[in-house]
Amino acid sequence: MTKFNRMEEAGAGIPPVTEPARQYYFMERAAEIIRRKSEEAGRPLTFCVQTFGCQMNARDSEKLRGILERVGFIKSEDESADFVLYNTCTVRENANLKVYGRLGALRAKKRENPNKIIALCGCMTQEEEVVNTIRKSYPFVDLVFGTHNVYQLAELLVRSLEEDGMVVDVPDATKGSIVEELPTDRKYSFKSGVNIMYGCDNFCSYCIVPYVRGRERSRRPEEILDEIRRLTKDGVREVMLLGQNVNSYGKGLDEDIDFARLLARVAEVPGVDRVRFMTSHPKDLSDDLIHVMASYPNICRHLHLPLQSGSTRLLKIMNRRYTKESYLALTDRIREAMPDISLTTDIIVGFPGETEEDFEDTLDVVRRVQYDSAFTFIYSKRSGTPAAEMENQVPDEVVHRRFPHLLRLVQEIGRERTARFTGQVKDVLVESLNEQNRDLVTGRIMENAVVHFPGSASLIGKIVPVRLDACRGFYYLGTPEF
Ligand code: SAH
Ligand code: SF4
Ligand code: F3S
């Protein structure tokens, strides 16, 4: 592709050193280059951002899209776009395999459009061996960056357009700060994720997240509240506070604040009709938090409380720092304060050394807690984590025998539990038109269950009362009560 080597060609001056000014400078320069390339091509240039993994990545992708739109690319859902960016996840091996598979397919697309730019960022790229594989087996990739420099996309894009060869810039995840206040392109106009903290310090022995997302850092409460006030002015009614372990929010800040107090302050922001948060670590979930949740009607009656295993023995080896008994006691306290609350969870099957007895403990907790739904995962060995070094890895055939048992139980209980609101009228935040039937709209109740009911696109973003007529497994069919 044509490279632009001279600075004067695309915006003059010296890049500022301070952020976010520096990025705005590079956005201007990138815009100039994109404008010229689009003139050369005789059409607007398009981009496509694909997101893998969790809510953190989803939120980062909104920031990436915001920057790409600002520099003049047009959004597309199609990977034939001129700029394709994969925001990757590496929590399990198959997340990586998926990305490698998709990259293979992109190679052919790049042959059709040699001006195409292919970029990779997110958790996978924080691993050295991944970057080595990309260099060796996917040399057609133009730009690789990490989890800590998402905000630098415009600067990196300019570098990629000006330099030959693959640009790789993956800062150490344990260092550096995160720059906010850049453009974002929210997926939904009426709801938004808000990062309250970054990174994770828990080092659960199976998990790679602390290595690829770095140390835990909380954002200052005023900064979070300002962002939320801005969002509500912009039409947002539901905010989801995001962090790998929101319950340890506030550590390391000068202010005397914890998650319960932050949540209360968020719930008090005028215009915030609903607040959710993800993820809660059971070891840090305080009684104050339960109290705050129960006291504010706009805090959603839903807690995602990852169990991982029901065996106290395994929980210790996993470094989860709670026991089967303390977890059950916690869910009892939560249910006592909020009887209708939805509890959801994550469970891993086949952690090294998992015995039949350990697995039975997991099933036992599932039966006792009665989750609305659960994500069940087969343990995946992640290099660099302590569990990957353990010698007693569970044979595949044992895991594949256990897994369907758990899945069946989780689904059976989930179906029963979800149906508990049948016949009631509940407020639904309408999110979209139904994908299968365009005469229906789809939304969620406070307790997170999905509801489909007759309606048109004009309802999207509104909160409306709906009678939950029938539960079909994991969702409701309803009728409007307005
Ligand atoms: N911070 C969150 C979860 C982040 S990862 C928490 O602590 O709950 C999301 C889920 O992926 C985890 O809850 C866990 O169930 C699963 N997971 C993490 N590492 C895994 C691994 N090596 N193999 C299988 N599942 C894993
Ligand atoms: Fe991973 Fe544990 Fe941190 Fe969750 S709390 S991200 S499972 S190390
Ligand atoms: Fe995956 Fe990174 Fe999230 S590894 S689960 S995208 S923090």
Side-chain angles (χ1 to χ4, degrees), residues 357-372:
E357 215 182 331
D358 295 321
F359 182 61
E360 280 302 326
D361 273 328
T362 297
L363 298 178
D364 188 39
V365 176
V366 169
R367 279 189 208 100
R368 293 211 212 174
V369 175
Q370 299 275 303
Y371 296 106
D372 277 68

Side-chain angles (χ1 to χ4, degrees), residues 93-136:
E93 179 66 24
N94 53 12
N96 292 32
L97 298 178
K98 217 187 281 172
V99 166
Y100 288 134
R102 299 268 292 264
L103 272 182
L106 274 191
R107 187 198 307 252
K109 288 209 158 54
K110 182 142 181 172
R111 279 198 206 106
E112 288 162 23
N113 174 7
N115 276 334
K116 191 182 186 73
I117 309 169
I118 298 177
L120 221 61
C121 69
C123 296
M124 241 177 108
T125 63
Q126 292 292 149
E127 291 173 276
E128 214 177 298
E129 58 181 72
V130 169
V131 175
N132 292 339
T133 305
I134 299 290
R135 283 191 205 274
K136 211 173 91 217

Side-chain angles (χ1 to χ4, degrees), residues 28 67 82 148 187 250 261 327 353 419 425 428 444 451 474 478:
E28 246 174 67
I67 295 171
D82 299 290
H148 275 49
K187 185 170 174 202
R261 278 182 282 164
Y327 185 96
V425 175
V428 174
R444 278 172 198 276
V451 185
F474 300 97

Side-chain angles (χ1 to χ4, degrees), residues 13 15 26 61 87 115 127 139 244 275 290 310 363 372 378 383 391 419 473 478:
F26 278 107
S61 285
N87 188 7
N115 276 334
E127 291 173 276
Q244 290 298 349
V275 198
I290 300 176
L363 298 178
D372 277 68
I378 288 178
S383 60
E391 289 187 346

